[in-house]
Amino acid sequence: MSDDPKEPLVLRLVERLVASYPELPRDHIEGVVADEYDVLDHHARIRTYIPILVERGAWNRLHRERTRLSP
């Protein structure tokens, strides 16, 4: 098990997004969250807001994907 402090936040976020987007594969959702986290983790100056920004960015990307997939 990792001692990474971001891990519980990321796992909870993935669970919420999996519940919101059941039509998308879990591994895809995990990848989107990881991408969003990596971008912010390397460039954010104020780290307090990273979790909410990751959630917002992932939600927006997944929402756009779901919209494109809808008939």
Side-chain angles (χ1 to χ4, degrees), residues 45-63:
R45 293 173 61 191
I46 302 174
R47 307 197 61 74
T48 304
Y49 301 110
I50 289 177
I52 191 68
L53 295 172
V54 168
E55 183 167 6
R56 179 64 58 184
W59 188 90
N60 285 335
R61 282 178 58 183
L62 295 170
H63 182 73

Side-chain angles (χ1 to χ4, degrees), residues 21-36:
Y21 298 96
E23 69 278 7
L24 297 175
R26 181 186 183 90
D27 61 336
H28 176 68
I29 293 172
E30 289 172 347
V32 168
V33 170
D35 289 347
E36 292 293 324

Side-chain angles (χ1 to χ4, degrees), residues 1-10 37 41:
M1 190 75 181
S2 172
D3 290 333
D4 190 349
K6 74 176 183 180
E7 190 171 309
L9 295 172
V10 170
Y37 194 93
D41 190 43

